[in-house]
């Protein structure tokens, strides 16, 4: 998944979800707490892969991950207008108010508070990106 999409939440927590990302995710997918106070959005297949990997960990390592990812996760379906509802607990976790960003992040999408997304982007330096590219041999 790729791309960056600026959207607005309505008063009921609904947002038009980008059709380009829905092509990869399907009309039915999982929202969960993500790292950096954003939400992760997984296709059912990718969610199953994550769940399997976490279950394979020793309980000493898996417990915290299971609680973090699974306790707040929700199964969502896109409505006829192309919208999803983001539950209040997930909106609070990610600090989502009116202006949000929905981004493609390879095997998942992410939903960010717009200001937090901009701050995250500004924190990346060319040196950080170059070092990461070197780590992957590119």
């Amino acid at each position: 998944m790729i791309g960056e999409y600026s959207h607005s939440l309505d008063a009921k927590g609904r947002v038009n979800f980008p059709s380009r990302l829905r092509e990869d995710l399907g009309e039915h997918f999982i929202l969960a707490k993500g790292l950096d106070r954003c939400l992760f959005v997984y296709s059912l297949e990718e969610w199953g892969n994550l769940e399997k990997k976490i279950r394979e960990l020793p309980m000493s390592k898996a417990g915290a991950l299971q609680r973090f990812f699974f306790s707040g996760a929700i199964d969502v379906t896109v409505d006829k207008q192309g919208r999803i509802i983001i539950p209040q607990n997930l909106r609070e976790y990610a600090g989502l108010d009116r202006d949000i960003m929905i981004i493609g992040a390879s095997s998942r999408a992410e939903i960010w508070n717009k200001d937090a997304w901009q701050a995250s982007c500004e924190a990346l330096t060319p040196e950080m990106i170059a070092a990461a590219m070197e780590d992957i041999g590119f």
Side-chain angles (χ1 to χ4, degrees):
M1 282 174 257
I2 59 175
E4 180 179 80
Y5 309 88
S6 179
H7 283 275
S8 296
L9 282 174
D10 70 12
K12 296 179 181 179
R14 294 178 299 196
V15 62
N16 286 324
F17 203 83
S19 60
R20 279 245 162 116
L21 296 177
R22 289 194 324 257
E23 289 172 12
D24 292 324
L25 292 165
E27 298 295 312
H28 178 73
F29 45 85
I30 304 293
L31 293 182
K33 294 176 192 171
L35 306 177
D36 299 320
R37 305 296 280 186
C38 72
L39 301 180
F40 286 172
V41 185
Y42 290 100
S43 68
L44 297 178
E45 180 181 356
E46 282 298 323
W47 181 253
N49 293 339
L50 174 67
E51 186 176 9
K52 182 178 184 249
K53 287 178 183 180
I54 292 174
R55 274 189 311 210
E56 291 171 350
L57 291 171
M59 185 50 105
S60 61
K61 292 182 179 182
L65 284 175
Q66 288 169 335
R67 287 187 293 276
F68 179 77
F69 282 115
F70 303 133
S71 67
I74 184 165
D75 196 322
V76 298
T77 302
V78 179
D79 71 12
K80 291 179 183 176
Q81 287 80 35
R83 300 174 303 190
I84 62 167
I85 296 175
I86 302 174
Q88 182 67 32
N89 65 315
L90 292 178
R91 292 195 313 263
E92 288 173 4
Y93 169 80
L96 303 178
D97 47 27
R98 182 161 171 74
D99 297 321
I100 66 171
M101 295 298 295
I102 303 173
I103 65 158
S106 185
S107 62
R108 69 174 181 270
E110 296 179 354
I111 302 174
W112 287 76
N113 168 289
K114 188 173 187 172
D115 293 336
W117 172 246
Q118 289 172 339
S120 175
C121 291
E122 291 168 6
L124 287 175
T125 66
E127 295 79 18
M128 292 167 68
I129 294 169
M133 296 294 282
E134 188 175 302
D135 287 345
I136 62 171
F138 193 72

